[in-house]
Amino acid sequence: MRFFDFLFSKIFLKHFLLAIFVGNLIFWGSLFFLNFYTRHGESIAIPDVRGLSSEDAIRKLQETDMLGIITDSVFLINQKKGLIVEQNPPFGFKVKRNRKIFLTINSFCPERVKMPDLVGVSFRQAKAILETYGLKVGRLRYVPDIAKDNVLEQKYKGEKIGEGTQIDKGSSIDFVLGRGGDNYEENDSTKVKSASSEADEENL
């Protein structure tokens, strides 16, 4: 009887109701805090910052409660230097506030690469190797040589360039190639073609 008397006593009921109140207060308070902390259901479209300077891009993102971070750089010849060329996530994508937006900027200075040694290989092979280095074929000059389309010399801005020389990525490399065949005339040894005209021939 004493146990049941205690269950219905004012002290027990008072503490029981207080426990329910505190429990509900903690439960709903936690939900409210999590909802506020995670900004539940609230998202913002990322603005397009491509084509802006790094300062303007970061400022524009800050105005929409986002954080712009430059994480990479590339060198694109056909675009202005120092401008944003890529963003991740892309513009229009909806995210929560304070989201980090990773930016790629077009570098002021071109990337440098080492010149490969292409002397002694075929022009077709030399062209493929140049592409892997980010370099381009420039002017082609043909001279008497038994090996047709064999690379005899590689030049950069009119001067011979050796293996390992640092040059700007995207630079054009000129080649001196063998014309092939057995009979040559001395005055016909300075035939010059551009890479674009050479590409029209069947053997190049």
Side-chain angles (χ1 to χ4, degrees):
M1 293 297 294
R2 290 183 179 180
F3 175 73
F4 290 102
D5 291 339
F6 174 74
L7 290 179
F8 293 101
S9 64
K10 292 182 179 180
I11 296 177
F12 176 80
L13 292 175
K14 180 179 179 181
H15 286 82
F16 181 72
L17 293 175
L18 181 61
I20 294 176
F21 174 76
V22 173
N24 277 274
L25 184 63
I26 294 175
F27 176 76
W28 293 108
S30 299
L31 288 181
F32 177 79
F33 174 78
L34 290 174
N35 186 59
F36 175 80
Y37 181 78
T38 60
R39 307 277 184 175
H40 181 69
E42 184 179 357
S43 59
I44 306 172
I46 300 174
D48 188 3
V49 297
R50 296 173 302 172
L52 300 179
S53 66
S54 58
E55 295 81 3
D56 291 341
I58 292 175
R59 186 182 305 111
K60 187 174 182 178
L61 290 171
Q62 287 177 340
E63 291 173 354
T64 53
D65 295 329
M66 298 178 192
L67 180 62
I69 302 177
I70 298 177
T71 57
D72 197 7
S73 64
V74 295
F75 183 76
L76 303 177
I77 299 177
N78 59 342
Q79 297 195 33
K80 291 184 177 181
K81 300 175 182 178
L83 301 185
I84 301 300
V85 295
E86 187 177 342
Q87 61 184 81
N88 184 36
F91 75 95
F93 193 83
K94 291 188 176 182
V95 297
K96 291 182 172 58
R97 297 180 186 274
N98 300 319
R99 173 67 184 269
K100 293 180 180 179
I101 309 301
F102 303 106
L103 308 174
T104 300
I105 190 173
N106 192 24
S107 176
F108 288 94
C109 300
E111 181 182 348
R112 305 279 286 179
V113 295
K114 291 184 178 180
M115 179 66 198
D117 184 11
L118 303 176
V119 176
V121 305
S122 69
F123 172 68
R124 189 183 300 274
Q125 184 179 358
K127 183 179 179 181
I129 294 174
L130 276 187
E131 291 177 352
T132 64
Y133 279 75
L135 300 172
K136 299 182 296 185
V137 175
R139 293 177 62 82
L140 307 178
R141 176 171 176 261
Y142 286 83
V143 298
D145 190 83
I146 192 171
K148 185 178 181 181
D149 296 331
N150 182 57
V151 176
L152 303 177
E153 294 180 8
Q154 55 188 28
K155 294 185 176 183
Y156 175 61
K157 295 183 178 180
E159 301 291 336
K160 289 184 180 181
I161 181 172
E163 179 185 8
T165 303
Q166 292 275 355
I167 56 176
D168 293 344
K169 194 173 184 178
S171 298
S172 295
I173 305 299
D174 303 330
F175 289 111
V176 177
L177 305 174
R179 191 182 309 126
D182 296 326
N183 299 320
Y184 308 101
E185 295 182 5
E186 190 66 26
N187 60 3
D188 191 33
S189 63
T190 58
K191 185 177 180 182
V192 178
K193 290 185 178 182
S194 66
S196 58
S197 64
E198 182 63 22
D200 295 333
E201 297 190 1
E202 294 181 355
N203 295 326
L204 298 179

